Amino acid sequence: MVAIDVGWARKVSVPQLMSRLSVRRGIGGVPPTMLVLAGIVSVQVGAALANRLFAATGPAGAVSLRLFFAGVVLLVFWRSSLRIDRRALPVVIAYGTVLAAMNLFFYEAIDRIPLGMAVTIEFLGPLAVALAGSRRWVDPVWAVLAGGGALLLTHADGPVAWTGIVFALAAAACWAAYILLSAKLGEKTSGGGGLALAMAFGGVLMAPVGIAGAGTNLLEPSVLAAGFGVAMLSSVLPYSVELEALRRIPPRVFGVLMSLEPAVAAFAGLIVLGQLLNFQQWGGIACVVAASVGATRTAKSPPTPEA
């Protein structure tokens, strides 16, 4: 798996694994473009709300709650397919580890830099995977445009928290690995059992880190409720509506819509967290979005996701 549609790469194999969560009667009449946009907004609002949790739990504690609740939901829904072949176990463990690391690095990033900046930098991961195996003449244009956009993001009005940028780049690298491991997970497992076990393993892996950082704060009813909300907004709801959208629009169109995610993240950071970006930073976001749209639109053929 090398030449990958940028937007589809973000959700490779996951929408298919979440099929039991799609409430088709309730959302079947909603235009698919609106469903995709609703999923994007849900993810970014969930990230913004997670940022508000940091005062009580820290980034590690928030990740622990998100993975715990998401793992519980997945284990319940996929309890009938939790038995997997031993040969799939290394992939499940690697997937869960990368999932935990990706979320931890991302949350550490948004604790230091604006949400829009962090998501845009993180988006370079799937974009790099999408361009890595391609030999089209236009691809270097998208790579240069994305790189220029990333540089523009660093032109803040005040001091730049470079540790936040480093964490965002680490999250981008993990996202790229997550995409490739998702394909492997789809090959080695069927149904959602592999994803459920990987999510649960990621939660177990993060539990000691989260407890060490947040202690008994993790058991506060308000914190638990907020953590559950973040898990639902960041995982269950978007995967559900995006699955329904993928049934009705081509993957390439889905990918173009998903390319709007950095911009939506910037607006979520502005509205929910009051994070202001300057003109150059908005220009950087626009460059990365344009590169993602361009790479998706000029792809030779749409991918065929495997469950």
Side-chain angles (χ1 to χ4, degrees):
M1 179 177 173
V2 283
I4 303 173
D5 183 307
V6 174
W8 175 76
R10 186 197 186 291
K11 294 290 189 279
V12 61
S13 86
V14 176
Q16 291 71 34
L17 298 181
M18 294 295 292
S19 60
R20 294 187 183 183
L21 297 179
S22 179
V23 187
R24 300 195 64 186
R25 290 184 181 180
I27 61 178
V30 181
T33 53
M34 293 302 296
L35 292 177
V36 176
L37 291 175
I40 294 172
V41 170
S42 179
V43 168
Q44 299 311 326
V45 171
L49 293 179
N51 185 283
R52 289 186 174 275
L53 261 179
F54 293 167
T57 66
V63 172
S64 299
L65 289 175
R66 175 182 171 178
L67 293 180
F68 170 76
F69 284 119
V72 168
V73 171
L74 287 172
L75 289 172
V76 170
F77 273 94
W78 293 104
R79 58 187 179 276
S80 62
S81 58
L82 293 179
R83 298 182 66 180
I84 60 173
D85 189 274
R86 287 183 179 179
R87 290 172 294 182
L89 193 57
V91 178
V92 169
I93 292 174
Y95 187 93
T97 302
V98 168
L99 187 64
M102 178 176 68
N103 281 279
L104 178 60
F105 290 145
F106 176 66
Y107 279 14
E108 290 286 356
I110 64 174
D111 190 38
R112 292 166 171 81
I113 59 177
L115 177 62
M117 181 189 295
V119 170
T120 305
I121 294 173
E122 188 192 29
F123 209 74
L124 297 177
L127 181 58
V129 174
L131 297 175
S134 178
R135 296 295 181 268
R136 298 186 307 269
W137 68 269
V138 74
D139 285 334
V141 175
W142 309 133
V144 170
L145 187 60
L151 288 177
L152 284 174
L153 283 169
T154 65
H155 288 269
D157 293 330
V160 176
W162 288 99
T163 52
I165 292 176
V166 171
F167 276 123
L169 288 171
C174 288
W175 195 347
Y178 163 83
I179 291 167
L180 301 177
L181 285 170
S182 293
K184 291 293 184 183
L185 189 70
E187 294 172 2
K188 299 289 185 180
T189 64
S190 60
L195 175 63
L197 291 171
M199 186 73 73
F201 178 76
V204 170
L205 203 62
M206 279 302 305
V209 184
I211 293 171
T216 57
N217 286 347
L218 292 176
L219 300 179
E220 292 290 333
S222 59
V223 171
L224 290 172
F228 180 80
V230 168
M232 297 303 102
L233 285 171
S234 299
S235 299
V236 177
L237 178 59
Y239 294 155
S240 179
V241 297
E242 287 163 11
L243 169 68
E244 179 62 25
L246 277 167
R247 290 193 175 107
R248 292 190 268 151
I249 58 175
R252 187 173 296 181
V253 175
F254 176 83
V256 170
L257 292 170
M258 289 301 300
S259 299
L260 298 174
E261 188 160 1
V264 174
F267 279 111
L270 175 63
I271 295 170
V272 180
L273 301 173
Q275 296 174 339
L276 299 176
L277 299 178
N278 61 32
F279 180 77
Q280 289 176 304
Q281 290 172 316
W282 279 104
I285 291 173
C287 287
V288 174
V289 169
S292 177
V293 171
T296 302
R297 294 282 293 176
T298 58
K300 289 184 178 180
S301 59
T304 303
E306 296 292 336

